[in-house]
Amino acid sequence: MADVTGNATISTAGGTGDPPPPGISGTGRIRQPAALIRLLAGLAVIALTLLGADYARATTNGLAEDAAALAALVPHPLGGVATGLSTAALLLLPGFSGACRLLGTAADRRHVLQQLADGVLAAVLAYGASLAVDLWIDGRAPFSLASALTRPLPGDPLARTEPVYGYLAPVLAFLIASAARERRVPWAVLSLSALAGLAGGTATPTALLLGLLIGWTAAHGTRWAVGTPDPRPRPGRLLQSLREAGLRPAAATPAGPDRYLVRQQDGRPELDVQLLDRQAVTAALVQRAWRRLRLRTAPHPRALRSLRTGLEHEALVSYAAVAAGVRTHRIAATAELGPDTALVAYERLPGRTLDELGDEELTDALLADAWGQLALLQRRAIAHRALVPSALLVDAAGAVHLVNLADGDIAASELVLRCDVAQLLTTLALRTGAERSVRAAVAALGPDAVAAALPLLQPIALTRGTRLALKRSGRTAPAAPPGPPAPPEPDLLEQIRTEILHSRPQAPVRPVRLERLRPRTVLAVGGGVVAGWLLIPQFFATERNPLTAVADADPFWLVLALLAAATSHVMGAMGFVGFVPERLDFRNAVLAQVAGSFVKLVSPGGVGGVALNTRFLQRAGIPTAQALSSVGVGQLLGLVLHLLQVGAFVYLTGLEAGGSELEILPFVVGGIAVAGAVLATVSAVPPARRWLVARLRPLTAEVLPRLVELLRNPGRLAVGFTGQLLVSITLISCLYCCARAVGSEPGFAAVGVVFLVGNAAGSAAPTPGGAGFVDGALAAGLKWATSMDDGGIAATVTLFRLLTLLLPVLPGWAAFSWLQRRGAL
C-alpha cells in the first residue's frame, strides 16, 4: 500500500521474507567506513613491521633463533607430521566453514552465498599479496631485510623459509570477509598451524605475523572495495520487533536516512523509529576521536562504544530529560535487531524545527520557552551538546521541545553546561539578533549564569554547523551605503559578548582554553618523527659516522662557526631596530633576538619570532598597529634582500673555482617564471583574486605608510638594511665553517645558495624551528650543489643545527625570563 504522501509503506500484512520496496531496506551493498579505517591501519602496520624487521635486525634474528632452538627440541619426524596435518586442516577450514553456513541457513541463503563469494575474493587477493611480498623480498628487497625475515630450513642450509608463512593469509582473509560466525574452531586451527610451522622450522615469528596482517588487511580491503551486504533490517523485521516490544505497529514509512514513521493500530500515537547500525556508529570515528583528543568539552566518541552501550546511553539521557520535566521525545521501545543493528522508537511529536519557522513566528514567548527548557536541563546537570536549530521542535501550540539528545550527557561538568548556554545563545542570535537572545537568556537563567558562559563564546566551542552559519552571516552583511567608509561592524559573537556585559559588566571576558591539543602540536610532533626517520639512518648508512666527525671537528673552524652563530643575533637586532622609527634599547633588542631562539622551539616556522618582536615593541610603548607595521616592514624588506642575495650568490658561483658544477640559474629563472604564472592565474580567477587582495590589504593599509615614514630617516633605514644583510652572511659563514670543521671544502658561494634556498624552503614548514624540514633541505642542497660525501653532509648539517638551533636554547630561555622580569616582554 501507499500513504497519502506517495511514499512506499509496509504494512503488517507482509511477512519478514517479503522483498522490501526500493529505498526502504538496503538489499544491495554498502561501504562501511570501519572497513576503510582497518584497511589503512593494516597497511600501516605491515609497513612498520617490515621497517622494524630491517632496522631491528638483532631483535628479529634473536626471536627467530629462539624459535629455532625450541623447534630443535621437537623430533624431526613429529614436526613434519604436525606440519602436514595442520596444513591439511588449514586448507579444509574454509570449506568446512562455508558448508556449515549453508547448511545452517534456511531463510536467507542468497545473503550467505554473497558473503562466501566475498571470502573467496579476499582469499585470492591475500594469496596474491603474500606471493608478491615473497617475490619482492627474494628479489628486489635489501639483503638485510631478507635475512631478517627468513631462516635456513632444517637439514638444508641452502634453502630458506618463506618471508610470509604459507596459507595463513588467504584462510584468515576468507574467514573475516565471509563473516564466519564460529570463531573457536578457526582460531584453534590457525593457532595450531602457526605452532606447527614454528615447531617444524618452516616459519619464523615475523613470517607468521606478516601472514596474519596480510590476511586481515586483504579481508577488510575487500569488504570496503566491493561493499558488504546491507545489514539494516527489512521493514517486516522492524515491525515484528516492535510487536515483540509490546507495541501495535500497522505500517512503516521511510522518513529519512535510517528513520521510519510507524503508524499504530487502534488509534495509538505514531512512532518515530531511528535505526542504529554499526556503519552509522563508526561513520564519524576519526572525527569524533580527534575532537575527543583535542577538546576538553568534546563528547565521548560513540564510535568507540558498542552498539548496546550506545543504545543504553541514548535511552538513559532521554529518560533523565523526561524526569527533569523537559518536553522531548518519549521513548516507546528499544530493541536489538541483530548483532549489527538496533532501534529506538519515540512517540512522534508533530511540529516544525527552528530553522523551518518564519522570522515573524520567533516571538519573545517562544524564546523564553526555549530558555526555560534548557534551564530544566541545567538544574539536573544534563547536557544536550547539540542545541542547533534542528534540535528545537515547536509544536502547533507554540511550545518548544528539545529533541536529538543522543549526544547528551548526565551528571555533566560545569564547563559542558556552560557550553550549552553559549551554543543556544548563538543559535537563537543567528535568527533573532544578539539583543533578543541575551535578554531572553538573562530572564530565564539569570545574569550570573549567562555571564558565566561568556568565556565559552568562541568558535571552537560551537558545533560545526553553527560555525559555518556564523561565517555565512558575516559574508551576507548588507552593503555599505555610498560615502565615507563606516567602521566595521563587530561579528555576532562580539555582539553577544557586548550584550552580556551590559547586564553584568564585571563578567569574566578572558576565553577559557578548550583545546587539549592544538593541530600545530601534532604537526610539530609529526615533523620531529619525520626528521628522526630521515636523519637517524644517515648516521649509520655512511662510511663516516657524523657524530664522530662532529666530535673530531677542527677547533679553529669550530670556534669561527660559533662566533658567526653568536654574531647573527647582534645582526638580527640591527635589522630589527633599523626598521622602527622610535628609539629602542639596543641591548634589550639583542636579548630579544636571543630569546627568539627559545621561542621558535615552541612555535611553528617564523611565527614565534614575529609575535615576540611585536610584543617587545608593544612593551616599549609603541601602539599595536605601529608595532605590527614595523615588524611587517622588516619582513617585507627582508624578503626582498633575500631574493637579491640569492641572485648575487648564484652569479658568484660562476666565478668561484670549482663552482661551475652548480647550474642553478635555469632553476632560478624557472622558479620566477612559475611564480609569475601562478600570480597571473590567481589574478584571473575572481575568488582567488579576492583572496589575494584580502591578504595584501594589510600591506597597503599599514606596512607601506610605515615604510614611507622610515624613508624620512635614511640613517636608520641603512642600519636596518645592513643588519638584514649581515644576518644571512653570518649564518652562511657559520654553515661554511661547519663544513670546513668536519674536513670538507665546499665553495662559499655554493654554500650561500644552499643556505638561502634551503632555509627559506624549510622555514615554511609548520614545525618548531623548521625541525626536520630545514635539516632535510640543507642536506639535499649540499649534496646537489657540492662534491661533499654523505658523511660530511650529515656532519655539517648536524653541527650547524647544533650551533644555531639547540645550543642557543638555554641562553634564549634565560634572556626571555630576564626580559619578562624587567617588563620588556
Side-chain angles (χ1 to χ4, degrees):
M1 60 180 291
D3 66 356
V4 294
T5 62
N7 291 327
T9 302
I10 295 300
S11 67
T12 55
T16 58
D18 294 340
I24 292 183
S25 173
T27 58
R29 290 174 173 267
I30 57 174
R31 287 190 174 95
Q32 296 187 351
L36 176 59
I37 295 172
R38 290 167 181 163
L39 167 63
L40 297 177
L43 293 174
V45 175
I46 290 173
L48 290 175
T49 301
L50 293 174
L51 291 172
D54 192 16
Y55 284 119
R57 290 187 293 273
T59 303
T60 306
N61 291 330
L63 290 174
E65 290 173 0
D66 292 342
L70 293 175
L73 301 177
V74 180
H76 183 66
L78 181 60
V81 171
T83 302
L85 291 177
S86 63
T87 302
L90 193 65
L91 293 176
L92 292 174
L93 182 59
F96 172 78
S97 175
C100 291
R101 294 284 304 281
L102 289 174
L103 293 176
T105 302
D108 200 358
R109 186 163 296 176
R110 180 182 176 184
H111 181 77
V112 174
L113 288 174
Q114 289 179 344
Q115 291 181 328
L116 293 179
D118 294 345
V120 173
L121 177 60
V124 172
L125 293 177
Y127 182 76
S130 302
L131 184 61
V133 172
D134 286 342
L135 294 175
W136 173 69
I137 291 176
D138 290 338
R140 296 182 175 273
F143 176 76
S144 58
L145 180 59
S147 62
L149 295 177
T150 61
R151 299 291 298 169
L153 285 171
D156 189 0
L158 298 180
R160 302 184 71 87
T161 60
E162 295 180 352
V164 181
Y165 180 61
Y167 303 104
L168 205 61
V171 172
L172 180 62
F174 175 86
L175 294 174
I176 294 177
S178 64
R181 304 266 172 95
E182 177 61 41
R183 301 296 175 87
R184 296 180 181 179
V185 173
W187 278 110
V189 174
L190 290 172
S191 302
L192 290 175
S193 177
L195 291 175
L198 291 175
T202 58
T204 64
T206 311
L208 295 176
L209 178 60
L210 281 176
L212 294 174
L213 288 174
I214 290 175
W216 189 83
T217 304
H220 290 293
T222 302
R223 299 183 74 174
W224 181 77
V226 303
T228 56
D230 195 341
R232 290 174 292 186
R234 299 190 179 190
R237 177 73 180 92
L238 184 147
L239 296 176
Q240 181 183 350
S241 298
L242 292 176
R243 286 196 299 270
E244 292 173 354
L247 302 176
R248 302 287 301 278
T253 304
D258 295 328
R259 288 187 59 205
Y260 291 90
L261 179 62
V262 177
R263 179 171 54 83
Q264 295 198 82
Q265 301 173 3
D266 303 332
R268 295 190 179 190
E270 292 183 323
L271 302 175
D272 188 359
V273 178
Q274 177 72 48
L275 292 182
L276 302 175
D277 60 84
R278 199 168 299 279
Q279 182 211 358
V281 170
T282 58
L285 170 63
V286 175
Q287 180 181 2
R288 289 177 180 272
W290 166 243
R291 283 181 59 82
R292 180 65 183 166
L293 180 66
R294 183 186 178 193
L295 299 181
R296 295 167 53 198
T297 58
H300 294 277
R302 287 194 296 167
L304 301 181
R305 304 174 184 164
S306 67
L307 197 62
R308 173 177 287 274
T309 304
L311 182 65
E312 292 173 348
H313 176 82
E314 186 167 343
L316 180 61
V317 176
S318 180
Y319 288 139
V322 171
V326 178
R327 291 192 292 270
T328 185
H329 284 302
R330 290 180 179 271
I331 292 183
T334 60
E336 285 191 352
L337 302 177
D340 297 322
T341 313
L343 66 82
V344 182
Y346 295 97
E347 294 181 1
R348 183 171 180 267
L349 283 174
R352 294 177 296 165
T353 58
L354 185 68
D355 49 358
E356 295 174 338
L357 298 178
D359 292 340
E360 69 282 355
E361 297 178 273
L362 300 178
T363 63
D364 290 341
L366 187 144
L367 299 183
D369 193 19
W371 282 109
Q373 295 300 300
L374 179 62
L376 294 175
L377 287 179
Q378 298 266 314
R379 291 195 193 103
R380 297 292 184 92
I382 303 173
H384 190 288
R385 290 187 175 275
L387 288 168
V388 295
S390 60
L392 277 70
L393 185 68
V394 182
D395 61 19
V400 177
H401 302 255
L402 299 184
V403 296
N404 300 341
L405 287 160
D407 281 328
D409 273 335
I410 60 173
S413 66
E414 182 67 25
L415 186 63
V416 175
L417 295 176
R418 290 158 59 192
C419 279
D420 268 359
V421 177
Q423 176 65 54
L424 189 57
L425 277 169
T426 310
T427 297
L428 295 179
L430 283 167
R431 291 298 310 277
T432 65
E435 182 181 357
R436 291 184 62 193
S437 178
V438 173
R439 186 171 66 245
V442 171
L445 303 179
D448 292 332
V450 177
L454 194 149
L456 279 303
L457 281 168
Q458 43 186 311
I460 197 172
L462 307 175
T463 64
R464 182 174 181 272
T466 304
R467 294 196 297 269
L468 293 176
L470 286 171
K471 291 181 180 179
R472 287 194 297 267
S473 67
R475 289 197 297 264
T476 57
E489 187 173 344
D491 60 20
L492 185 61
L493 291 182
E494 187 61 35
Q495 295 176 33
I496 298 174
R497 295 187 191 99
T498 303
E499 293 297 331
I500 293 175
L501 290 174
H502 286 165
S503 62
R504 186 64 68 190
Q506 67 274 23
V509 295
R510 185 185 181 90
V512 174
R513 181 174 178 179
L514 300 177
E515 288 181 296
R516 282 196 184 101
L517 186 66
R518 297 186 177 183
R520 69 185 186 188
T521 305
V522 177
L523 291 174
V525 174
V529 171
V530 170
W533 193 270
L534 294 177
L535 295 180
I536 289 177
Q538 300 298 326
F539 294 148
F540 309 100
T542 57
E543 297 179 359
R544 185 169 47 154
N545 191 323
L547 298 180
T548 304
V550 170
D552 298 336
D554 188 328
F556 173 75
W557 289 105
L558 187 60
V559 170
L560 289 181
L562 181 62
L563 290 176
T567 306
S568 67
H569 298 293
V570 180
M571 299 300 104
M574 286 179 57
F576 172 56
V577 302
F579 297 122
V580 181
E582 293 80 8
R583 185 177 182 82
L584 298 175
D585 188 325
F586 187 74
R587 182 190 62 177
N588 286 349
V590 173
L591 291 176
Q593 305 313 302
V594 177
S597 303
F598 167 72
V599 172
K600 68 182 179 182
L601 279 184
V602 294
S603 60
V607 175
V610 171
L612 185 139
N613 288 335
T614 303
R615 178 64 176 171
F616 178 78
L617 295 179
Q618 289 174 328
R619 300 296 292 177
I622 300 174
T624 302
Q626 297 180 9
L628 290 171
S629 301
S630 296
V631 174
V633 168
Q635 296 287 318
L636 176 63
L637 296 182
L639 175 62
V640 174
L641 281 176
H642 192 93
L643 295 176
L644 292 175
Q645 288 179 86
V646 170
F649 277 104
V650 167
Y651 173 75
L652 291 176
T653 54
L655 306 178
E656 196 174 58
S660 58
E661 64 203 27
L662 182 60
E663 300 176 356
I664 196 175
L665 186 58
F667 296 95
V668 174
V669 175
I672 296 175
V674 170
V678 171
L679 184 60
T681 303
V682 170
S683 302
V685 179
R689 183 171 62 249
R690 288 193 294 269
W691 176 86
L692 182 63
V693 170
R695 295 301 182 274
L696 294 178
R697 186 175 292 116
L699 176 66
T700 58
E702 301 173 1
V703 175
L704 293 183
R706 190 71 162 171
L707 182 59
V708 172
E709 184 179 355
L710 278 171
L711 292 176
R712 301 171 183 170
N713 191 343
R716 183 171 291 273
L717 197 60
V719 170
F721 273 110
T722 303
Q724 290 276 15
L725 179 65
L726 291 180
V727 167
S728 299
I729 297 298
T730 52
L731 290 176
I732 293 171
S733 301
C734 178
L735 182 60
Y736 176 78
C737 293
C738 288
R740 297 298 301 269
V742 299
S744 301
E745 296 185 4
F748 186 83
V751 172
V753 175
V754 169
F755 171 80
L756 293 171
V757 175
N759 190 64
S763 297
T767 58
F773 295 90
V774 171
D775 312 76
L778 292 178
L782 289 174
K783 185 176 182 62
W784 172 61
T786 67
S787 58
M788 297 171 60
D789 60 90
D790 291 342
I793 291 173
T796 299
V797 174
T798 301
L799 182 57
F800 176 74
R801 295 291 276 172
L802 178 67
L803 295 178
T804 59
L805 180 67
L806 299 181
L807 195 61
V809 169
L810 188 58
W813 172 78
F816 186 83
S817 301
W818 189 86
L819 290 174
Q820 278 193 321
R821 288 196 301 269
R822 295 299 179 93
L825 278 181

